[in-house]
Structures are given as structure tokens and as C-alpha cells.
Amino acid sequence: MDKTIEEFAASEAAKTQDAIKDLERIEEEVVAEAEASVDDYDEMAQEGAAAAAADTAFEFDQAEIQTEMLEGELEEDAK
């Protein structure tokens, strides 16, 4: 393979890894904030808002799992 192509591929792979790490960090932050909101809304007896926050936490937790699966697939493809 041409060295330029190898360098480009390595650069793109590094950018993808950086993007995945950023996405994982954001997902973790959203889950943590949503879980904190659930507690806050529960204390204020706002069941609807607590349920919405719990749903958000669940959805972002699921998104994080999907991101981790994607990361695993990309690592396998790189081998």
C-alpha cells in the first residue's frame, strides 16, 4: 500500500477514535445529569418530569452501549 494512503488511513482512524471518545464522554455526562434530575424531580414530587428524565437516562445509556459496540467493530476492522 502506498505510504500516503497508509498515513491518510491512520489519520482518519485516529479522528474516528477521538470522535468516539467525545461521544462516549457526552453520553456519560447526559446520563449522569438525567439521573440527577430524576432524583431532584422525585424530591419535588414531579412524577412526569422524573419519568421523562429517567427515559432520557435510559435512552442515552442505550446509545452508549451502541457506541461501545461500534468502537468494538471498528477495532476489529482495524486488525
Side-chain angles (χ1 to χ4, degrees), residues 35 39 47 56-58 61 63 65 74 76 78:
E35 288 173 345
D39 294 338
E47 291 85 16
T56 298
F58 176 78
D61 190 48
I65 291 168
L74 291 173
E76 283 296 315

Side-chain angles (χ1 to χ4, degrees), residues 11-74:
S11 173
E12 291 302 305
K15 288 178 188 177
T16 300
Q17 279 296 81
D18 288 345
I20 287 172
K21 294 299 179 197
D22 287 344
L23 183 56
E24 288 174 332
R25 180 186 50 77
I26 291 166
E27 290 165 342
E28 289 170 2
E29 289 175 3
V30 171
V31 168
E33 186 64 34
E35 288 173 345
S37 294
V38 169
D39 294 338
D40 292 343
Y41 289 130
D42 277 343
E43 288 179 16
M44 294 185 282
Q46 295 182 4
E47 291 85 16
D55 187 49
T56 298
F58 176 78
E59 291 298 323
F60 274 84
D61 190 48
Q62 294 302 303
E64 190 173 3
I65 291 168
Q66 293 297 319
T67 300
E68 290 170 358
M69 289 173 56
L70 173 62
E71 183 177 24
E73 289 174 17
L74 291 173

Side-chain angles (χ1 to χ4, degrees), residues 3-17:
K3 184 173 179 156
T4 304
I5 294 172
E6 289 176 6
E7 290 172 351
F8 176 76
S11 173
E12 291 302 305
K15 288 178 188 177
T16 300
Q17 279 296 81

